Amino acid sequence: SGLICILLLSTINSMIIIGPRVSKSIGEDYSKLNFLANENKEESPYLSLIIQLALALVYLFTASFEELIIYTGFVLNIFTFLSVMGLFFIKENRDRFKLKKLIAPILFLSYSLWLLLFGICTKPLESGIGIGVCIFGLFIYFFVQQPKSKIKA
């Protein structure tokens, strides 16, 4: 258990360092979120770090450890499922896929879908919160999208 604690500390440390910089990059890419790109004199994205801290504290004070693990596992499973499913929609992959190359992704998607459905059936509150957070993120994504410029010829 001591080794696991040490490994978790290194993971947490890397997420504290990387998380605000990812938010900073998002702020640089999307003008509606440009406040995330603000840096202090040490070139640290302080506002992104404060937002990350606030979210972590909300999670910490509103849920038990078990609920957090179930919720985060559920959300991570949604995104790994969508990532693997995306392989089937990449045009270049459609031509290259043979049946034997499809077996592993299909098995993975089947197992992931089963895990998602099992999570919804056994832990509906945590799963519902995870789905809600994903839908909220989708709304944010559509809100920050730049309008497509129409090229006039």
Side-chain angles (χ1 to χ4, degrees):
S1 65
L3 179 62
I4 291 173
C5 288
I6 291 170
L7 293 173
L8 284 175
L9 283 175
S10 66
T11 302
I12 292 169
N13 186 33
S14 65
M15 288 185 185
I16 290 171
I17 293 171
I18 299 294
R21 281 154 182 78
V22 170
S23 298
K24 177 183 173 259
S25 295
I26 291 170
E28 291 169 348
D29 291 342
Y30 297 98
S31 61
K32 291 181 182 173
L33 296 175
N34 63 358
F35 62 93
L36 294 173
N38 292 342
E39 294 180 332
N40 60 13
K41 61 184 176 185
E42 286 86 23
E43 297 181 1
S44 176
Y46 68 95
L47 196 53
S48 295
L49 183 60
I50 292 170
I51 292 170
Q52 181 180 330
L53 172 67
L55 284 173
L57 290 174
V58 166
Y59 290 146
L60 185 66
F61 292 125
T62 59
S64 69
F65 181 72
E66 179 185 357
E67 290 168 334
L68 283 175
I69 295 296
I70 293 168
Y71 155 74
T72 54
F74 186 82
V75 172
L76 287 172
N77 196 24
I78 288 173
F79 285 103
T80 54
F81 178 86
L82 292 173
S83 296
V84 173
M85 193 171 72
L87 292 173
F88 295 101
F89 295 98
I90 298 172
K91 185 178 179 182
E92 294 82 25
N93 285 346
R94 287 186 205 152
D95 300 331
R96 291 188 310 196
F97 274 149
K98 304 278 189 259
L99 182 60
K100 67 179 182 177
K101 290 185 179 179
L102 293 175
I103 292 173
I106 289 172
L107 287 174
F108 178 83
L109 289 173
S110 302
Y111 181 68
S112 293
L113 183 62
W114 180 83
L115 281 176
L116 289 170
L117 294 174
F118 182 77
I120 290 170
C121 291
T122 59
K123 299 289 185 178
L125 176 65
E126 293 86 347
S127 302
I129 291 170
I131 292 170
V133 167
C134 291
I135 290 171
F136 179 71
L138 195 60
F139 283 130
I140 296 293
Y141 172 76
F142 286 120
F143 172 73
V144 301
Q145 284 298 305
Q146 312 293 335
K148 303 281 188 233
S149 62
K150 296 180 181 179
I151 299 174
K152 296 179 182 178

